Amino acid sequence: RDLLFVSRKRNGATFITGAPRMGKSTTAYAILNETVNSGVEVQEFGSPIETLAPWTQVDYEGDLNHLKNLISQNKKQDTNIVLVSETPNSAIGEAVGDLVASNVHVVTTFHMNRLWHLPHKLYGFYKSDFKNILSQVNICVNQKMYEIQCPHCRTESRPISVFKPNDPIAKMFAEQGYSFFRQSVGCDKCDFTGGTGDPMVFVERLVFTEEIVSELLSLDTPPQMERFLKNRMNELRQSLEYYM
């Protein structure tokens, strides 16, 4: 539902984050695929272009200066949505910010551990101007991939007391009334790894509503914003822990 909502945006910034090989590009394509046959002009800049798509795709061949120029030139074109497959540094981040300011919806990916680290990431890109881009965020998505537990050696119950007292997972379990959890311990079926070898992607996401943006902009520093986002996501039960 949230991805369908953001696919209808024609301005602002959409951030899809996570470690390498977490399916960030797949999520970006899921958003853009909703715009096909709608008359929306889409351009993609990537290196390499891994999947052919029904919109304009340009391979910048690893040349970041060329990528920066492509993004800058796009301000003069009638493009509605631009996908920048990766924002690797502040120079590309600045070009992305300029394109967002030009009333273009920019979808881009970058590496980030948790969603509430976004203010720190944007500060690294934009320094004192980071609030300008923060005010134009449509949605932030953060993805992690985990191996599915082996069903043959998964214990039926282990007490949460095995966690350290201050462990955030133990705290969440206690808040939700859980006393036990399941864990695969390894067997001959899984070569004693405890996993099936099959991945499962978990996604945490937050739509940046006017209320959330207003709260963020009232704060002064990235650490304050991080605490606010973490608390809000826990209140909404939209963090990775709840999905898992």
Side-chain angles (χ1 to χ4, degrees), residues 18-243:
R21 313 304 298 177
M22 291 294 110
K24 298 188 294 296
S25 296
T26 300
T27 299
Y29 273 45
I31 294 171
L32 296 183
N33 279 330
E34 294 295 330
T35 69
V36 175
N37 300 324
S38 65
V40 173
E41 181 65 30
V42 177
Q43 289 201 26
E44 174 187 354
F45 304 134
S47 181
I49 300 295
E50 297 180 346
T51 304
L52 293 180
W55 51 75
T56 302
Q57 296 176 293
V58 179
D59 188 340
Y60 62 88
E61 300 181 340
D63 185 340
L64 294 182
N65 286 327
H66 184 38
L67 173 60
K68 185 177 180 180
N69 290 333
L70 287 169
I71 296 171
S72 298
Q73 292 168 8
N74 202 269
K75 293 188 294 184
K76 303 175 183 179
Q77 301 178 24
D78 295 325
T79 308
N80 303 111
I81 304 176
V82 171
L83 169 60
V84 180
S85 62
E86 175 105 10
T87 300
N89 56 37
S90 58
I92 302 303
E94 182 180 351
V96 166
D98 287 342
L99 195 56
V100 171
S102 301
N103 207 34
V104 175
H105 180 189
V106 179
V107 180
T108 189
T109 72
F110 48 75
H111 300 164
M112 194 169 73
N113 187 39
R114 295 305 299 266
L115 190 147
W116 46 72
H117 295 157
L118 181 63
H120 298 278
K121 191 73 175 183
L122 295 183
Y123 183 81
F125 284 154
Y126 302 102
K127 301 306 179 187
S128 60
D129 292 331
F130 81 108
K131 282 190 174 183
N132 291 333
I133 193 73
L134 192 61
S135 69
Q136 300 178 81
V137 177
N138 294 320
I139 189 174
C140 184
V141 176
N142 186 57
Q143 303 183 178
K144 286 187 181 294
M145 189 179 294
Y146 296 93
E147 189 176 4
I148 296 174
Q149 289 184 346
C150 173
H152 303 286
C153 59
R154 185 172 60 190
T155 58
E156 286 302 312
S157 60
R158 294 194 68 190
I160 64 170
S161 59
V162 300
F163 289 102
K164 294 180 179 179
N166 294 326
D167 190 290
I169 301 294
K171 181 180 179 181
M172 185 193 71
F173 281 169
E175 289 174 348
Q176 300 303 312
Y178 292 108
S179 301
F180 299 91
F181 69 100
R182 293 179 176 182
Q183 183 179 33
S184 295
V185 295
C187 64
D188 57 357
K189 300 285 187 182
C190 63
D191 199 22
F192 298 96
T193 64
T196 64
D198 299 315
M200 178 175 289
V201 176
F202 291 90
V203 179
E204 61 183 2
R205 68 192 188 279
L206 185 66
V207 174
F208 279 61
T209 62
E210 289 184 8
E211 182 265 335
I212 288 175
V213 170
S214 178
E215 290 278 0
L216 285 170
L217 296 182
S218 71
L219 302 172
D220 296 322
T221 66
Q224 292 173 331
M225 295 175 181
E226 176 184 339
R227 286 192 293 272
F228 167 77
L229 288 175
K230 186 173 184 178
N231 290 336
R232 178 55 57 90
M233 291 191 65
N234 286 330
E235 290 169 5
L236 297 172
R237 298 186 180 183
Q238 291 185 182
S239 67
L240 285 167
E241 288 83 1
Y242 288 100
Y243 291 124

